[in-house]
Amino acid sequence: GCCAGYYCPTSSELIRCPEGKFCPVNVIEPIDCPNTASCPEGSSTITSNGGAALGVVILFFVLFLIVRCQKHAKRFAAERRYDTVREYRDDKEMLTLEEHDRRHSTCLHNGGGADGEDDDNGDQKIDIAAAPGDNEVAREEDETKTPSRTAAEMLAEGDDTEKREETEKKEAESYDTKKEGSLGDDGGGNVFDIMYKDIWLTLSNGRTIMKAACGKFRAGRTTAIMGPSGAGKTTLVTLVMGKAKRSRGAVYINGKEDELYRHRDDIGFVPQEDIMQRNLTVWDVLKFSADYRLPREATNLQRREECYRTLKLLEIDHVVNSVIGDENQRGISGGQRKRVNIGMELVAKPKILFLDEPTSGLDSVTSLTLASLLQGIARKTKISVAAIIHSPSPDTFDKFDDFTLLGVGGTVLYSGERIKALQYFESIGFAKPSNMTPADFYLEISMGRIPQKTKDGGLDYNFDKSKLPGYWVEQGRDYRPPELKDLPNPYCKDGQGEDEKADNDKGGDDAKARKEGGVERRSSDSAGSRFEALMSSVWSSLSDKAANEWHSIENYIGDCSSEFFNFVSCKREGSRNKPYFYFIFYVCGRRTYFQTYREGTWVWSLFLHLGLGLFIGILVTSQFVGPLPPRTCDDGPAASLQACVSPLNDIFAGIGLFVVWIATFAGMIEGIRTFGPEQVVYWRHAARGLPSIPYFLAKVASDVPKMVLNSALFFFGLSFGFYSYGDTDDLYGLLFVLYWAGYTFGYLVSMLFEPRLRSLWCVIFAMMWAFVFSGNNPTLPNIQDEYGKELEWIWSISFTRWGLEALYVNQMLFYDEWLNLSTSFTLRQYNPNNFSQNCGIIFALGLLWLFFTYIFLKGCNRAKQK
């Protein structure tokens, strides 16, 4: 054959490769060296590829300019937003609730009208681009700031509890009168008075964890929900909201029986954890909630005004441009983050606001300030505020108008005005020690640790705490709202349920009758009947579980079908006429851009993909050597016939395997970071009405620029050490679809496995696809012999199998012009005309992984999306 560094136009000629060209083994004419490459005389390959280096330099220069422009735009937007905050802070008319609601009541409450969700009016005044904030100064300012005027006055009043309670009672009565008048003006449509009655929840094992709960959340008032661990505080809120199915009971809204889940758009729920995107600014977080939850008729300016009003209401307008922060990036303080958590719900103008332990992890002063804010929010916005709290300080507890105390087992021990709670418990024989706060006193009663006064004036230290629910039903009539004066009594006087008492009485009578016979009678049931009863119970339990699972599947299919129909028809479900799907897609895409691209740190990760390409290129140290020349085969021994039809050194199968493996693995590692880290955030937004289809599509679309850049840098790095003999455009297109398949499979991995194991699973899957299901070893014709026909379909869904064939075809067609390589394609069962088809199959497999990712995104943890 013709040696490397030479070309052989005929079988008798051997010519040295001239300068500016290179000559691999067995070529009949020299190959032009690229303009940007170096090829001295006698070159068998490209010495250096300056084109790849030039491409990398140009790409990073463009990225540098983009990042610099982003930083200037970010700082410019920050200055304008600070100016706007100061302007809004001084503009009393703009931030007055009554004036704000009068101007925007049509679009924020009634719905209907022209679409204006992306109105640019006022854009020059306020910009939604992200802006840096002075986190350290903001935190010091907030932590040194004294509580609000009301909180300071309450602290200054000291121990004058009676005077304070009398004043608060008069203020509450005055507010109730004003509230009734306002309801008369607007028909009561803008507030919710929530009453729940006879709420029960019995588990499948027969255990009752919520029993005959009754109470009320009144508009314009704050309610504290307290109780010991296991009392069912969160369960009560979940049942009232309709997030879980009640065994029995009803919820009433403004006096009419209804369900709160039908008004999901009007409900705000603040979880205990501060669930939000920590790498976004305060403004970004609030604006995103306002964009997808407010009605479509609200203009862009109106949404911003709502955000600024919320910022001032929560007293966090001075940190509007500060990053939320996490363990790795220092941001706003814990108290400020808790207010942002509340603000995410307030910007949607809810009619009732539930909070799960909002004061947990906060110091007493911050807790007092937060409770004061909640009371002010309830007064000003006329919404119902219900908060689950643990052991609040006296001043914090005094900020709540109403109080609900639960006992172990989900029983209500008190539910009424807070200022009357002490009087009620004294009426049933419990005196508060002088050294104990009211909140701790009530909790101690619920756990049976406070002695009860007896009729003879003594103290019963061993009183039965199970009697407390019965006391509330029988003796708490005067302390309940008018609608709950008369309640059915599920308890007997001794605290035991009527049904339980009847069963026990019956059991006692039966025992007595048996004893009268002299001996206890044994059960007359035979072993067979007991076994039959056991099997019947097991079958009944399995049937119930199967029915529940089938019901969940039906709900899931109905939910997905309904959302898909609404997506296609541009309709939205719910009590509000919320924005169209295409606007939600834009909002989610903009937020993802802020998360991923705004800071510019993502540019450094591109060097990793450049390094991966360089690593593969450096590994290529040998060259392709084709079959022996025909004249050698004609005169040679029979043992050389195999070398006459197959390449002597077929490097492209090995190179292709590593290229496909590394490219897909790199895409997987990037893909698991798209949906995985923010699953909890998605669950929260989905529970508040964020449609999953535009969110999902926006996240995928935001990754496409990264796929393009990462595959381009991988291609440039590979080209440094490995010169492609095939079409370079085709090779880059192949690398892009391989990255696409890797990204989408990474999405699926992030849905299936817990965070700490996702990277390891990516390694396992990448190696499995590359080294087992790629068609390299065993080759495609030998699959049935080694694995059987039943498993052959696995190779059909392996993107590495199609990627390896496409790369092999791309490189080998160059030699096929003067060498007979048909046997090489036949032995591997490759088709030299299927390059485009193979790339299309890889792209289609990516779509398949996307489909399954969406199924799991929507289907997993459905309870957390309600």
mmCIF file of all heavy atoms in Angstrom, residues 505-537:
data_model
loop_
_atom_site.group_PDB
_atom_site.id
_atom_site.type_symbol
_atom_site.label_atom_id
_atom_site.label_comp_id
_atom_site.label_asym_id
_atom_site.label_seq_id
_atom_site.Cartn_x
_atom_site.Cartn_y
_atom_site.Cartn_z
ATOM 1 N N ASP A 505 -69.758 -0.159 76.750
ATOM 2 C CA ASP A 505 -70.848 -0.602 77.622
ATOM 3 C C ASP A 505 -71.359 -1.970 77.205
ATOM 4 O O ASP A 505 -71.609 -2.852 78.028
ATOM 5 C CB ASP A 505 -71.980 0.416 77.597
ATOM 6 C CG ASP A 505 -71.591 1.705 78.311
ATOM 7 O OD1 ASP A 505 -70.592 1.670 79.062
ATOM 8 O OD2 ASP A 505 -72.279 2.731 78.107
ATOM 9 N N LYS A 506 -71.501 -2.125 75.870
ATOM 10 C CA LYS A 506 -71.960 -3.412 75.365
ATOM 11 C C LYS A 506 -70.971 -4.512 75.679
ATOM 12 O O LYS A 506 -71.324 -5.618 76.090
ATOM 13 C CB LYS A 506 -72.182 -3.321 73.850
ATOM 14 C CG LYS A 506 -72.706 -4.614 73.251
ATOM 15 C CD LYS A 506 -72.929 -4.432 71.752
ATOM 16 C CE LYS A 506 -73.411 -5.746 71.133
ATOM 17 N NZ LYS A 506 -73.626 -5.606 69.680
ATOM 18 N N GLY A 507 -69.660 -4.179 75.497
ATOM 19 C CA GLY A 507 -68.640 -5.170 75.797
ATOM 20 C C GLY A 507 -68.632 -5.528 77.277
ATOM 21 O O GLY A 507 -68.443 -6.679 77.651
ATOM 22 N N GLY A 508 -68.860 -4.514 78.143
ATOM 23 C CA GLY A 508 -68.901 -4.790 79.570
ATOM 24 C C GLY A 508 -70.067 -5.675 79.943
ATOM 25 O O GLY A 508 -69.939 -6.572 80.781
ATOM 26 N N ASP A 509 -71.229 -5.429 79.351
ATOM 27 C CA ASP A 509 -72.388 -6.267 79.623
ATOM 28 C C ASP A 509 -72.150 -7.695 79.179
ATOM 29 O O ASP A 509 -72.527 -8.654 79.864
ATOM 30 C CB ASP A 509 -73.617 -5.697 78.916
ATOM 31 C CG ASP A 509 -74.023 -4.340 79.501
ATOM 32 O OD1 ASP A 509 -73.600 -4.050 80.647
ATOM 33 O OD2 ASP A 509 -74.738 -3.592 78.802
ATOM 34 N N ASP A 510 -71.506 -7.864 78.014
ATOM 35 C CA ASP A 510 -71.241 -9.212 77.527
ATOM 36 C C ASP A 510 -70.283 -9.943 78.460
ATOM 37 O O ASP A 510 -70.462 -11.134 78.750
ATOM 38 C CB ASP A 510 -70.641 -9.159 76.118
ATOM 39 C CG ASP A 510 -71.674 -8.695 75.106
ATOM 40 O OD1 ASP A 510 -72.882 -8.725 75.439
ATOM 41 O OD2 ASP A 510 -71.267 -8.286 73.983
ATOM 42 N N ALA A 511 -69.283 -9.221 78.916
ATOM 43 C CA ALA A 511 -68.330 -9.843 79.839
ATOM 44 C C ALA A 511 -69.003 -10.255 81.137
ATOM 45 O O ALA A 511 -68.731 -11.325 81.693
ATOM 46 C CB ALA A 511 -67.178 -8.878 80.110
ATOM 47 N N LYS A 512 -69.898 -9.364 81.601
ATOM 48 C CA LYS A 512 -70.609 -9.678 82.836
ATOM 49 C C LYS A 512 -71.472 -10.919 82.673
ATOM 50 O O LYS A 512 -71.528 -11.798 83.543
ATOM 51 C CB LYS A 512 -71.448 -8.476 83.241
ATOM 52 C CG LYS A 512 -72.179 -8.673 84.567
ATOM 53 C CD LYS A 512 -72.940 -7.411 84.929
ATOM 54 C CE LYS A 512 -73.683 -7.605 86.264
ATOM 55 N NZ LYS A 512 -74.448 -6.381 86.618
ATOM 56 N N ALA A 513 -72.145 -11.015 81.503
ATOM 57 C CA ALA A 513 -73.006 -12.180 81.263
ATOM 58 C C ALA A 513 -72.177 -13.458 81.190
ATOM 59 O O ALA A 513 -72.597 -14.507 81.662
ATOM 60 C CB ALA A 513 -73.785 -11.983 79.964
ATOM 61 N N ARG A 514 -70.992 -13.359 80.593
ATOM 62 C CA ARG A 514 -70.158 -14.543 80.504
ATOM 63 C C ARG A 514 -69.657 -14.978 81.882
ATOM 64 O O ARG A 514 -69.542 -16.147 82.175
ATOM 65 C CB ARG A 514 -68.983 -14.293 79.558
ATOM 66 C CG ARG A 514 -69.391 -14.219 78.093
ATOM 67 C CD ARG A 514 -68.170 -14.324 77.173
ATOM 68 N NE ARG A 514 -67.225 -13.237 77.387
ATOM 69 C CZ ARG A 514 -67.279 -12.096 76.700
ATOM 70 N NH1 ARG A 514 -68.221 -11.904 75.805
ATOM 71 N NH2 ARG A 514 -66.388 -11.161 76.930
ATOM 72 N N LYS A 515 -69.335 -13.973 82.709
ATOM 73 C CA LYS A 515 -68.836 -14.309 84.038
ATOM 74 C C LYS A 515 -69.919 -14.929 84.915
ATOM 75 O O LYS A 515 -69.645 -15.699 85.810
ATOM 76 C CB LYS A 515 -68.257 -13.056 84.701
ATOM 77 C CG LYS A 515 -66.939 -12.621 84.070
ATOM 78 C CD LYS A 515 -66.376 -11.409 84.774
ATOM 79 C CE LYS A 515 -65.062 -11.000 84.147
ATOM 80 N NZ LYS A 515 -64.470 -9.824 84.831
ATOM 81 N N GLU A 516 -71.175 -14.507 84.665
ATOM 82 C CA GLU A 516 -72.259 -15.092 85.447
ATOM 83 C C GLU A 516 -72.354 -16.587 85.209
ATOM 84 O O GLU A 516 -72.857 -17.336 86.028
ATOM 85 C CB GLU A 516 -73.579 -14.409 85.088
ATOM 86 C CG GLU A 516 -73.668 -12.995 85.641
ATOM 87 C CD GLU A 516 -74.948 -12.312 85.186
ATOM 88 O OE1 GLU A 516 -75.677 -12.909 84.363
ATOM 89 O OE2 GLU A 516 -75.200 -11.183 85.643
ATOM 90 N N GLY A 517 -71.903 -17.071 84.099
ATOM 91 C CA GLY A 517 -71.914 -18.503 83.808
ATOM 92 C C GLY A 517 -70.792 -19.249 84.513
ATOM 93 O O GLY A 517 -70.711 -20.461 84.412
ATOM 94 N N GLY A 518 -69.938 -18.531 85.195
ATOM 95 C CA GLY A 518 -68.882 -19.167 85.965
ATOM 96 C C GLY A 518 -67.532 -19.126 85.285
ATOM 97 O O GLY A 518 -66.515 -19.090 85.941
ATOM 98 N N VAL A 519 -67.494 -19.157 83.983
ATOM 99 C CA VAL A 519 -66.227 -19.143 83.250
ATOM 100 C C VAL A 519 -66.405 -18.302 82.014
ATOM 101 O O VAL A 519 -67.532 -18.096 81.545
ATOM 102 C CB VAL A 519 -65.793 -20.572 82.840
ATOM 103 C CG1 VAL A 519 -65.406 -21.404 84.053
ATOM 104 C CG2 VAL A 519 -66.864 -21.247 82.020
ATOM 105 N N GLU A 520 -65.354 -17.822 81.502
ATOM 106 C CA GLU A 520 -65.355 -17.081 80.231
ATOM 107 C C GLU A 520 -65.546 -18.080 79.100
ATOM 108 O O GLU A 520 -64.823 -19.073 79.017
ATOM 109 C CB GLU A 520 -64.028 -16.347 80.047
ATOM 110 C CG GLU A 520 -63.799 -15.232 81.033
ATOM 111 C CD GLU A 520 -64.298 -13.900 80.483
ATOM 112 O OE1 GLU A 520 -64.616 -13.838 79.279
ATOM 113 O OE2 GLU A 520 -64.379 -12.944 81.255
ATOM 114 N N ARG A 521 -66.515 -17.790 78.246
ATOM 115 C CA ARG A 521 -66.731 -18.681 77.102
ATOM 116 C C ARG A 521 -65.716 -18.391 76.014
ATOM 117 O O ARG A 521 -65.445 -17.235 75.715
ATOM 118 C CB ARG A 521 -68.151 -18.506 76.558
ATOM 119 C CG ARG A 521 -69.217 -19.018 77.502
ATOM 120 C CD ARG A 521 -70.587 -18.891 76.875
ATOM 121 N NE ARG A 521 -70.833 -17.493 76.483
ATOM 122 C CZ ARG A 521 -71.972 -17.090 75.902
ATOM 123 N NH1 ARG A 521 -72.912 -17.955 75.638
ATOM 124 N NH2 ARG A 521 -72.123 -15.824 75.589
ATOM 125 N N ARG A 522 -65.197 -19.443 75.427
ATOM 126 C CA ARG A 522 -64.285 -19.275 74.307
ATOM 127 C C ARG A 522 -65.060 -18.911 73.060
ATOM 128 O O ARG A 522 -66.258 -19.180 72.966
ATOM 129 C CB ARG A 522 -63.500 -20.567 74.066
ATOM 130 C CG ARG A 522 -62.591 -20.934 75.227
ATOM 131 C CD ARG A 522 -61.859 -22.227 74.909
ATOM 132 N NE ARG A 522 -60.972 -22.568 75.993
ATOM 133 C CZ ARG A 522 -59.728 -22.155 76.085
ATOM 134 N NH1 ARG A 522 -59.231 -21.393 75.132
ATOM 135 N NH2 ARG A 522 -58.974 -22.506 77.114
ATOM 136 N N SER A 523 -64.385 -18.316 72.144
ATOM 137 C CA SER A 523 -65.032 -17.954 70.884
ATOM 138 C C SER A 523 -65.494 -19.209 70.169
ATOM 139 O O SER A 523 -64.795 -20.222 70.140
ATOM 140 C CB SER A 523 -64.043 -17.188 69.988
ATOM 141 O OG SER A 523 -64.612 -16.968 68.719
ATOM 142 N N SER A 524 -66.711 -19.129 69.603
ATOM 143 C CA SER A 524 -67.281 -20.279 68.916
ATOM 144 C C SER A 524 -66.818 -20.387 67.471
ATOM 145 O O SER A 524 -67.167 -21.322 66.770
ATOM 146 C CB SER A 524 -68.814 -20.202 68.957
ATOM 147 O OG SER A 524 -69.250 -19.017 68.297
ATOM 148 N N ASP A 525 -66.088 -19.377 67.025
ATOM 149 C CA ASP A 525 -65.625 -19.434 65.637
ATOM 150 C C ASP A 525 -64.567 -20.520 65.477
ATOM 151 O O ASP A 525 -63.680 -20.669 66.315
ATOM 152 C CB ASP A 525 -65.021 -18.096 65.211
ATOM 153 C CG ASP A 525 -66.075 -17.008 65.174
ATOM 154 O OD1 ASP A 525 -67.257 -17.355 65.046
ATOM 155 O OD2 ASP A 525 -65.690 -15.816 65.288
ATOM 156 N N SER A 526 -64.646 -21.220 64.407
ATOM 157 C CA SER A 526 -63.662 -22.241 64.096
ATOM 158 C C SER A 526 -62.432 -21.582 63.476
ATOM 159 O O SER A 526 -62.455 -20.417 63.087
ATOM 160 C CB SER A 526 -64.244 -23.281 63.140
ATOM 161 O OG SER A 526 -64.571 -22.660 61.906
ATOM 162 N N ALA A 527 -61.361 -22.346 63.347
ATOM 163 C CA ALA A 527 -60.148 -21.827 62.714
ATOM 164 C C ALA A 527 -60.405 -21.468 61.271
ATOM 165 O O ALA A 527 -59.891 -20.475 60.749
ATOM 166 C CB ALA A 527 -59.033 -22.867 62.812
ATOM 167 N N GLY A 528 -61.259 -22.252 60.623
ATOM 168 C CA GLY A 528 -61.573 -21.961 59.224
ATOM 169 C C GLY A 528 -62.304 -20.648 59.059
ATOM 170 O O GLY A 528 -62.020 -19.866 58.145
ATOM 171 N N SER A 529 -63.232 -20.364 59.952
ATOM 172 C CA SER A 529 -63.976 -19.112 59.838
ATOM 173 C C SER A 529 -63.097 -17.919 60.150
ATOM 174 O O SER A 529 -63.224 -16.853 59.553
ATOM 175 C CB SER A 529 -65.192 -19.144 60.770
ATOM 176 O OG SER A 529 -64.771 -19.264 62.134
ATOM 177 N N ARG A 530 -62.142 -18.092 61.088
ATOM 178 C CA ARG A 530 -61.229 -17.004 61.382
ATOM 179 C C ARG A 530 -60.308 -16.724 60.199
ATOM 180 O O ARG A 530 -60.020 -15.579 59.875
ATOM 181 C CB ARG A 530 -60.392 -17.331 62.632
ATOM 182 C CG ARG A 530 -61.194 -17.314 63.925
ATOM 183 C CD ARG A 530 -60.285 -17.217 65.140
ATOM 184 N NE ARG A 530 -59.391 -18.357 65.228
ATOM 185 C CZ ARG A 530 -59.670 -19.480 65.875
ATOM 186 N NH1 ARG A 530 -60.843 -19.604 66.483
ATOM 187 N NH2 ARG A 530 -58.786 -20.466 65.929
ATOM 188 N N PHE A 531 -59.842 -17.791 59.554
ATOM 189 C CA PHE A 531 -59.004 -17.616 58.366
ATOM 190 C C PHE A 531 -59.785 -16.929 57.247
ATOM 191 O O PHE A 531 -59.266 -16.060 56.539
ATOM 192 C CB PHE A 531 -58.486 -18.973 57.895
ATOM 193 C CG PHE A 531 -57.657 -18.900 56.645
ATOM 194 C CD1 PHE A 531 -56.340 -18.445 56.685
ATOM 195 C CD2 PHE A 531 -58.201 -19.268 55.416
ATOM 196 C CE1 PHE A 531 -55.581 -18.376 55.536
ATOM 197 C CE2 PHE A 531 -57.447 -19.185 54.266
ATOM 198 C CZ PHE A 531 -56.134 -18.752 54.324
ATOM 199 N N GLU A 532 -61.062 -17.333 57.100
ATOM 200 C CA GLU A 532 -61.907 -16.715 56.067
ATOM 201 C C GLU A 532 -62.106 -15.232 56.356
ATOM 202 O O GLU A 532 -62.066 -14.400 55.442
ATOM 203 C CB GLU A 532 -63.244 -17.440 56.012
ATOM 204 C CG GLU A 532 -64.180 -16.906 54.930
ATOM 205 C CD GLU A 532 -65.482 -17.668 54.883
ATOM 206 O OE1 GLU A 532 -65.612 -18.692 55.589
ATOM 207 O OE2 GLU A 532 -66.381 -17.218 54.140
ATOM 208 N N ALA A 533 -62.292 -14.898 57.621
ATOM 209 C CA ALA A 533 -62.454 -13.490 57.979
ATOM 210 C C ALA A 533 -61.179 -12.706 57.716
ATOM 211 O O ALA A 533 -61.212 -11.564 57.250
ATOM 212 C CB ALA A 533 -62.851 -13.373 59.448
ATOM 213 N N LEU A 534 -60.026 -13.337 58.014
ATOM 214 C CA LEU A 534 -58.749 -12.679 57.766
ATOM 215 C C LEU A 534 -58.543 -12.420 56.281
ATOM 216 O O LEU A 534 -58.145 -11.328 55.874
ATOM 217 C CB LEU A 534 -57.612 -13.533 58.321
ATOM 218 C CG LEU A 534 -56.183 -13.021 58.053
ATOM 219 C CD1 LEU A 534 -55.976 -11.663 58.710
ATOM 220 C CD2 LEU A 534 -55.146 -14.029 58.556
ATOM 221 N N MET A 535 -58.803 -13.435 55.453
ATOM 222 C CA MET A 535 -58.636 -13.272 54.014
ATOM 223 C C MET A 535 -59.609 -12.231 53.470
ATOM 224 O O MET A 535 -59.272 -11.467 52.555
ATOM 225 C CB MET A 535 -58.856 -14.616 53.306
ATOM 226 C CG MET A 535 -57.793 -15.655 53.635
ATOM 227 S SD MET A 535 -56.105 -15.068 53.257
ATOM 228 C CE MET A 535 -56.236 -14.829 51.477
ATOM 229 N N SER A 536 -60.815 -12.202 54.021
ATOM 230 C CA SER A 536 -61.794 -11.200 53.584
ATOM 231 C C SER A 536 -61.304 -9.794 53.913
ATOM 232 O O SER A 536 -61.446 -8.858 53.120
ATOM 233 C CB SER A 536 -63.141 -11.461 54.246
ATOM 234 O OG SER A 536 -64.075 -10.454 53.915
ATOM 235 N N SER A 537 -60.683 -9.645 55.084
ATOM 236 C CA SER A 537 -60.156 -8.338 55.476
ATOM 237 C C SER A 537 -58.997 -7.923 54.573
ATOM 238 O O SER A 537 -58.913 -6.763 54.149
ATOM 239 C CB SER A 537 -59.700 -8.387 56.930
ATOM 240 O OG SER A 537 -59.075 -7.177 57.305
#
